Amino acid sequence: MPQLNGGDDLGANDEMISFKDEGEQEEKISENSSAERDLADVKSSLVNESETNQNSSSDSEAERRPPPRSETFRDKTRESLEEAAKRQDGGLFKSPPYPGYPFIMIPDLTSPYLPNGSLSPTARTYLQMKWPLLDVQPGGLQSRQALKDARSPSPAHIVGPFCWEFPGQFHLSNKVPVVQHPHHVHPLTPLITYSNEHFTPGNPPPHLQTDVDPKTGIPRPPHPPDISPYYPLSPGTVGQIPHPLGWLVPQQGQPVYPITTGGFRHPYPTALTVNASMSRFPPHMVPPHHSLHTTGIPHPAIVTPNVKQESSHSDISSLNSSKQTDAKKEEEKKKQVHIKKPLNAFMLYMKEMRAKVVAECTLKESAAINQILGRRWHALSREEQAKYYELARKERQLHMQLYPGWSARDNYAANQQGKRKKRKREKQQAESNEHREYFPNPCLSLPPITDLSAPKKCRARFGLDQQNNWCGPCRRKKKCIRYIQGEGSCASPPSTDGSLLDSPPLSPSSAVPSPSSKESKPQTEQMQPLSLTMKPAHQPLHHPHLLAGPPPPSLAQLENSAAAGKTPGASHNGALEHGDVSSSRQPGSSVASSLARPSASLCHSHSLIPSTAPQPLSLVTKSIE
DNA sequence: TTTCCTTTGAAGTCG
DNA sequence: CGACTTCAAAGGAAA
């Protein structure tokens, strides 16, 4: 693991990464550039690490891997989020990130993938560690629903205001470091535990005593279950315990990977059986026929559009249907079958950590939770991230094996036909202008957006023929960040190109396309004011924006965040032309969307961050008066 | 009931 | 090839 070695510095710097996210980093520009590079290296190294053993795609993937992206702290509008964020800081930066990483990561997760699917000793260890948990709660397992409901943390679960202090440690009443995972599938679980034998399809054991959820009236455990659904089941209890792989168990209202008759373009390669133990794709997944494995359980990734409808009924009915109808149905199903994309590293991480965050912060909204998770993701050490990258890589591999003919494009097409996100995008674009009205005062309410219709937008300013001069968002038909700068109440003197102020740290790199462009993300992160906490004492003045000079950082930051949101590169207007935008994914869209909603934070944070010194995030979170 | 939000990463499309 | 979009999970909120 050469990368690790080399990157230890960085690694040390998990903090750095996280801090950047938090906007605390205020490294000097020079440092930034190097840091960025490091970050990029780290990322790539993570990938490489995971793929080193792997093969082919590794290289390409590594290259593709975008540098750590900036966080958009656009705002965590939601108070809950803010609060959570506040709490979070405390711990994040005080102690090594994730001192008590709740999940025991198995170093050699790969082992599960070993031929024969047997678990490695390590994995077994893991299992052993987890199983005890089962004992903890006699009732230990509950229906999925119960799990879900359990999520709403009861007071007992809530650690308190400082729950974030030790992100890695949950002080759940039960004291089990493991947080139940509402979503059933532990990313690792599939890799480790999946054993079909134990699994009884479709019979989620309604067990465990449970409280009744006030809201739903559905039984639920008093506390977040000690046992995470995705944790390995002990052999003895397996049958009674809901299968860790959520996808196997029908879930209420969830797209359960339904059994489908068709959908696979290609038969599973026999080779699959070898890896069957891996990931979400159970060995059975190598179905004798299509997606059904021996148990008749479909692959998690396979979903039909009408999930809810499909229950036993649909299956039964289908059975009853005439041959002709069957044929038709099959065709339809084939069309409908939706093989989901394999989860990426972050998604795996989210799955794993979501419950934890929910428990800690008592947040319910996924959007808010995801923001936190995003930050935490950045805060993760390289090693930790590497684990997820590795898992993701394996997931992809397995997915490829299972669905040789599948391509993400399939899902694209499916949605396009159906509807869905496109609308969203279009809508956003179309309405982007309208949103501004919502936030008359950008500083106060989050989206620092003023009326786009205003004349100073890049479009108006430069005209269509000079789109090169447009800021990224404008080019994407999103909100004009430059305009915002100049016009916003928070506005700072617009930098000539709208950049500098805005993107101090990055500028150097941003100016130069190419490699740096991808590395630009970190910067944006740095800009993120939202950092929950400040970095301890050091670098008080480093924050580029803070230092940036005359104008209050706010605008610049806003711009950065707005532009950068997801698109770090975009933040640097001047650089845009150079294609720094490339570094960002969904730059405009996400930003626009995020801005569209009145969420608070971003602006607050900016406004709060006085030009002077860095303020603890806590301040930021509160509304400004 | 459906879509949005929000995150990062992978993979797709488009010019 | 770069820029940009879509989708993956999740579940409350909004439409």
Side-chain angles (χ1 to χ4, degrees):
Chain A
M1 311 247 291
Q3 295 96 339
L4 288 178
N5 295 340
D8 282 350
D9 308 353
L10 267 188
N13 312 331
D14 302 347
E15 299 176 352
M16 292 184 65
I17 295 171
S18 62
F19 293 145
K20 284 187 177 182
D21 293 350
E22 311 301 309
E24 309 165 290
Q25 61 312 342
E26 350 304 335
E27 290 107 318
K28 299 165 183 179
I29 294 173
S30 62
E31 288 177 349
N32 285 338
S33 61
S34 64
E36 291 173 5
R37 239 169 296 156
D38 291 343
L39 287 175
D41 292 344
V42 170
K43 284 280 182 179
S44 62
S45 67
L46 288 177
V47 174
N48 290 338
E49 287 176 9
S50 63
E51 307 208 352
T52 310
N53 302 335
Q54 242 7 250
N55 38 1
S56 49
S57 57
S58 60
D59 292 345
S60 61
E61 201 173 69
E63 291 176 359
R64 262 178 306 189
R65 188 164 308 292
R69 54 181 52 197
S70 59
E71 252 198 315
T72 59
F73 287 105
R74 330 180 196 305
D75 346 288
K76 317 193 150 222
T77 353
R78 313 178 183 201
E79 294 179 1
S80 59
L81 177 58
E82 291 177 356
E83 290 179 5
K86 288 180 186 176
R87 295 178 207 146
Q88 181 177 9
D89 306 353
L92 221 74
F93 303 112
K94 288 178 182 174
S95 49
Y98 296 40
Y101 195 79
F103 298 97
I104 297 164
M105 302 300 289
I106 299 170
D108 55 339
L109 291 176
T110 57
S111 59
Y113 298 95
L114 294 178
N116 52 15
S118 60
L119 295 176
S120 68
T122 307
R124 290 193 185 100
T125 300
Y126 176 85
L127 291 175
Q128 289 174 355
M129 298 183 72
K130 299 301 180 183
W131 287 350
L133 296 179
L134 294 177
D135 296 340
V136 173
Q137 263 189 357
L141 300 182
Q142 358 177 352
S143 64
R144 282 180 159 304
Q145 183 58 48
L147 288 175
K148 273 189 171 184
D149 293 342
R151 242 182 289 169
S152 51
S154 62
H157 305 130
I158 299 169
V159 174
F162 303 106
C163 61
W164 284 97
E165 191 134 352
F166 305 94
Q169 298 176 346
F170 297 160
H171 304 287
L172 296 181
S173 57
N174 53 21
K175 304 213 166 157
V176 175
V178 176
V179 175
Q180 113 267 10
H181 192 301
H183 305 303
H184 352 325
V185 181
H186 184 298
L188 301 180
T189 304
L191 300 178
I192 299 168
T193 64
Y194 192 72
S195 42
N196 317 321
E197 302 109 53
H198 312 316
F199 177 55
T200 309
N203 295 339
H207 20 248
L208 306 193
Q209 80 338 350
T210 55
D211 290 348
V212 175
D213 183 293
K215 284 184 179 179
T216 61
I218 297 170
R220 68 175 184 183
H223 305 291
D226 294 338
I227 304 166
S228 172
Y230 47 67
Y231 281 88
L233 301 176
S234 66
T237 56
V238 174
Q240 303 172 4
I241 298 170
H243 194 286
L245 295 182
W247 58 271
L248 291 177
V249 180
Q251 182 176 359
Q252 186 182 28
Q254 276 265 358
V256 179
Y257 307 87
I259 296 172
T260 60
T261 56
F264 293 108
R265 293 176 181 176
H266 308 284
Y268 292 101
T270 54
L272 282 181
T273 55
V274 173
N275 292 334
S277 63
M278 297 169 61
S279 97
R280 302 184 291 174
F281 317 95
H284 326 3
M285 280 321 294
V286 182
H289 178 58
H290 296 302
S291 61
L292 298 178
H293 62 51
T294 56
T295 60
I297 299 166
H299 186 287
I302 301 171
V303 176
T304 60
N306 305 327
V307 175
K308 291 180 181 178
Q309 297 174 352
E310 68 192 352
S311 43
S312 56
H313 290 301
S314 62
D315 292 343
I316 294 171
S317 63
S318 65
L319 292 176
N320 295 336
S321 62
S322 65
K323 291 180 181 180
Q324 290 179 349
T325 53
D326 281 346
K328 288 182 180 179
K329 285 185 178 180
E330 252 188 72
E331 289 183 21
E332 289 181 0
K333 282 189 177 181
K334 282 185 180 180
K335 291 180 181 178
Q336 292 180 341
V337 168
H338 183 73
I339 297 172
K340 294 188 177 183
K341 294 172 66 175
L343 302 186
N344 63 35
F346 179 70
M347 286 294 155
L348 290 171
Y349 171 76
M350 283 200 2
K351 271 201 148 197
E352 180 179 316
M353 302 301 292
R354 175 179 296 280
K356 181 183 174 184
V357 172
V358 169
E360 289 178 351
C361 300
T362 70
L363 291 175
K364 291 180 181 178
E365 294 181 47
S366 292
I369 293 167
N370 291 346
Q371 284 188 336
I372 292 170
L373 287 171
R375 243 181 293 148
R376 285 191 170 197
W377 172 252
H378 286 294
L380 284 180
S381 65
R382 293 173 58 198
E383 290 77 11
E384 286 174 322
Q385 285 191 351
K387 292 172 187 174
Y388 291 97
Y389 282 115
E390 172 71 4
L391 287 174
R393 181 181 58 74
K394 297 199 176 208
E395 285 273 324
R396 285 196 303 274
Q397 278 194 334
L398 185 56
H399 194 276
M400 282 172 53
Q401 287 180 324
L402 291 172
Y403 317 106
W406 180 87
S407 142
R409 181 213 292 167
D410 295 350
N411 293 359
Y412 271 47
N415 286 335
Q416 286 179 359
Q417 289 178 356
K419 29 198 162 170
R420 228 168 137 180
K421 298 223 162 165
K422 259 210 165 168
R423 261 192 230 158
K424 174 182 174 183
R425 303 280 178 193
E426 292 174 359
K427 199 178 181 182
Q428 288 179 351
Q429 289 180 355
E431 295 178 358
S432 62
N433 293 337
E434 297 172 353
H435 285 299
R436 293 94 210 259
E437 295 174 357
Y438 281 166
F439 315 99
N441 182 343
C443 290
L444 296 179
S445 55
L446 201 177
I449 294 163
T450 57
D451 181 359
L452 287 187
S453 59
K456 290 190 178 179
K457 291 187 293 184
C458 293
R459 180 185 295 271
R461 234 196 271 171
F462 301 101
L464 294 175
D465 29 12
Q466 295 186 20
Q467 291 189 25
N468 288 340
N469 292 328
W470 292 14
C471 65
C474 272
R475 281 153 68 171
R476 280 171 244 128
K477 296 183 180 179
K478 306 290 180 181
K479 302 166 187 176
C480 175
I481 57 178
R482 290 179 182 173
Y483 169 73
I484 293 168
Q485 281 187 341
E487 302 294 333
S489 57
C490 292
S492 56
S495 56
T496 56
D497 48 343
S499 59
L500 270 187
L501 270 182
D502 334 283
S503 52
L506 256 207
S507 30
S509 62
S510 64
V512 179
S514 80
S516 59
S517 66
K518 285 189 177 181
E519 297 171 351
S520 62
K521 281 188 179 180
Q523 284 185 337
T524 56
E525 292 177 359
Q526 292 178 351
M527 300 184 168
Q528 307 287 348
L530 193 44
S531 63
L532 300 183
T533 32
M534 314 189 39
K535 247 182 180 178
H538 61 315
Q539 319 173 337
L541 296 181
H542 285 338
H543 195 293
H545 296 295
L546 293 178
L547 296 180
S554 56
L555 267 191
Q557 290 176 346
L558 287 177
E559 176 176 346
N560 287 331
S561 23
K566 289 194 163 185
T567 338
S571 61
H572 323 306
N573 300 333
L576 285 181
E577 292 100 345
H578 300 296
D580 33 7
V581 174
S582 62
S583 60
S584 61
R585 9 183 242 104
Q586 311 189 351
S589 63
S590 65
V591 170
S593 63
S594 64
L595 291 178
R597 284 203 177 184
S599 24
S601 47
L602 185 53
C603 232
H604 290 290
S605 60
H606 292 294
S607 62
L608 288 180
I609 298 178
S611 49
T612 63
Q615 305 263 343
L617 185 53
S618 58
L619 295 179
V620 174
T621 57
K622 280 294 177 178
S623 63
I624 308 161
E625 290 302 317

